[in-house]
Amino acid sequence: MAKHSKRAQVVGGFDTFKAAQRAAREPPAQAPAPGQPGTPPGPKKIASRIDHTALPTKHEIRCYECGYEFQLTGRTPTTHCPKCRKMLEIKEYTIDGEWSETVRTAGAIHVTGTAVISEGELIATDIILEGQLDGGVLKAYRWLELGASATFAEKDVSGRDLRVAAGAEVVLRRKATYTNVELHGVLKAKLHASGKVTIKSTGFLQGELHAAHLCVEEGGGLKAKVRVAKSELVPEKNESEQLKKTA
Amino acid sequence: MEGGGNSQTVISSEVEITGTVKSAGSIQIDGKLDGDLNCSGDATIGKGANIKGNLNVNSVVVAGALSGNITAKDRIEMKSSARVTGDIKAKRLAVEDGVTFIGKSEVNPSGAAPSPNAAPPPDKKDEGKPEDAKAGVFSKR
């Protein structure tokens, strides 16, 4: 304990735990007789011995070389994959103007509204697309966010989760399969989500929806054929029989 | 029940009704109903309720099981324990996480549907190209 208090001004979580244990073992200090000078102070509160406890932020990182997912504590521009030992960049990129190079990062890429991606691959954990994708390929391992001014071909973008920004109007002709979907804008698609679909107050979904979870905020719109069930989906034959009986 | 316009009819969990229920005021159903419900006020379907029929209401809060269509003039709210099989139509909708819902939904609170011109007709130039090459996103509203 002594070596910790010498070098650190910030008390760690383990020190806190040990201090609490010690305080619980120590007998409470006896109250001094009234009127006696130099009254010793009361038992120290645990909180007064603690200045600040800081916990570093943990980030989920996915190696873009081998696909291994791991946690990283704190912020660092680069790291090494624990599995394949390759060096990974964890920078955040903002692309503005014409761009034709490949970018691979375990951080995020923001393609602004004035950007035109003519060639190359953009691979990142999270990608925000607000510009024009005219030949390149976008691959997001986590969130793919489509902005109001985004233009792209469906086959050129992919992501695990989809977010449609407020003011955006996205029409997907192919079947869209994602884990989680968050709608702040308008989405017209045949949507299959293995996780949760959230329609915010400004969101609107039109088409078809198959999801495990659905959450619609007050103000959100839904004009679709819906099948939302936690467990295995009910076969369509049973559904039509039930509706015939109630008609 | 005493009182004026704030009275609410409650069908408790031990009650089973076969037939159409009509109510000019608010109604809460915690039991079983085999038939339609026509309610000019607000309806509440309790967690233990089981309804096989259509609902025509002003607004409804569903927390139980419902097999039938819901037509609400104002609002439909589905609690996390709701299990709805049927079509719904209302001005406003709120759905909690955990709901089981199978059917069609027609809720458009702010007229936020895509504009009629959102999907442009295929260009003649694109006829030779596969469908996937066409742009999937259109300009902002």
Side-chain angles (χ1 to χ4, degrees):
Chain A
M1 281 307 157
K3 62 181 178 181
H4 285 290
S5 60
K6 276 182 185 175
R7 65 179 179 193
Q9 291 180 355
V10 173
V11 179
F14 182 70
D15 297 334
T16 309
F17 174 67
K18 296 301 284 184
Q21 276 191 329
R22 197 182 320 120
R25 285 196 301 266
E26 286 172 358
Q30 290 181 357
Q36 284 193 0
T39 306
K44 285 183 184 177
K45 292 181 182 177
I46 297 170
S48 64
R49 301 170 63 182
I50 300 172
D51 290 323
H52 176 70
T53 302
L55 295 174
T57 311
K58 290 182 181 177
H59 304 277
E60 298 284 339
I61 302 291
R62 189 181 190 278
C63 173
Y64 45 77
E65 300 284 353
C66 67
Y68 181 68
E69 291 188 9
F70 59 98
Q71 264 191 355
L72 187 67
T73 305
R75 286 241 175 239
T76 174
T78 58
T79 188
H80 285 86
C81 174
K83 191 174 180 186
C84 66
R85 306 306 303 169
K86 293 205 174 162
M87 196 186 82
L88 304 175
E89 252 191 6
I90 315 176
K91 290 180 188 171
E92 296 196 357
Y93 288 84
T94 300
I95 297 175
D96 203 356
E98 291 192 8
W99 186 269
S100 59
E101 293 178 19
T102 293
V103 175
R104 303 172 96 192
T105 176
I109 296 177
H110 181 193
V111 181
T112 63
T114 54
V116 177
I117 312 294
S118 55
E119 209 178 343
E121 276 186 329
L122 299 183
I123 298 173
T125 300
D126 301 314
I127 296 179
I128 301 171
L129 176 63
E130 293 176 336
Q132 189 177 340
L133 190 64
D134 191 20
V137 173
L138 288 188
K139 188 173 180 181
Y141 288 125
R142 209 161 50 197
W143 284 98
L144 171 67
E145 181 173 328
L146 302 175
S149 51
T151 54
F152 60 91
E154 288 178 50
K155 63 177 180 60
D156 293 335
V157 297
S158 64
R160 190 193 72 180
D161 305 323
L162 174 68
R163 184 182 290 125
V164 177
E169 196 171 306
V170 178
V171 180
L172 302 175
R173 294 196 179 91
R174 290 166 26 163
K175 181 174 123 179
T177 304
Y178 294 95
T179 303
N180 302 305
V181 177
E182 202 173 286
L183 299 183
H184 298 261
V186 176
L187 175 63
K188 187 177 177 185
K190 286 183 185 177
L191 187 58
H192 286 244
S194 56
K196 186 176 173 182
V197 173
T198 305
I199 302 175
K200 296 293 187 181
S201 57
T202 54
F204 183 86
L205 175 62
Q206 183 172 344
E208 263 186 56
L209 172 62
H210 294 237
H213 300 272
L214 172 66
C215 184
V216 180
E217 281 186 4
E218 180 82 39
L222 179 60
K223 192 175 178 182
K225 186 178 170 185
V226 179
R227 188 183 289 269
V228 172
K230 281 181 254 184
S231 55
E232 289 291 316
L233 300 177
V234 176
E236 285 193 9
K237 286 182 185 176
N238 289 345
E239 177 192 351
S240 61
E241 282 173 7
Q242 285 176 4
L243 289 175
K244 279 178 187 173
K245 284 179 186 174
T246 57
Chain B
M1 295 177 66
E2 294 181 1
N6 292 334
S7 61
Q8 183 186 45
T9 304
V10 178
I11 297 173
S12 68
S13 55
E14 298 95 15
V15 177
E16 242 178 76
I17 297 176
T18 303
T20 301
V21 174
K22 287 184 184 176
S23 171
S26 300
I27 187 168
Q28 178 174 335
I29 300 178
D30 293 320
K32 194 174 175 183
L33 170 62
D34 275 332
D36 295 344
L37 170 66
N38 297 320
C39 175
S40 305
D42 302 334
T44 303
I45 311 302
K47 197 172 180 180
N50 193 337
I51 298 181
K52 291 180 182 176
N54 300 321
L55 270 57
N56 288 298
V57 297
N58 183 50
S59 72
V60 62
V61 177
V62 183
L66 170 68
S67 288
N69 302 326
I70 304 175
T71 303
K73 289 178 186 171
D74 183 26
R75 187 172 183 261
I76 295 174
E77 183 178 345
M78 295 190 200
K79 296 294 188 184
S80 58
S81 54
R83 287 160 288 152
V84 176
T85 305
D87 301 342
I88 64 171
K89 188 175 180 180
K91 279 185 189 170
R92 296 184 292 156
L93 173 67
V95 177
E96 283 186 4
D97 189 9
V99 162
T100 298
F101 172 35
I102 297 170
K104 286 182 189 170
S105 166
E106 208 172 309
V107 175
N108 192 353
S110 55
S115 54
N117 296 329
D123 293 332
K124 289 183 181 178
K125 292 177 189 177
D126 294 334
E127 279 179 358
K129 294 182 186 175
E131 198 179 66
D132 292 346
K134 294 178 190 171
V137 179
F138 304 93
S139 56
K140 61 181 176 182
R141 292 180 293 169

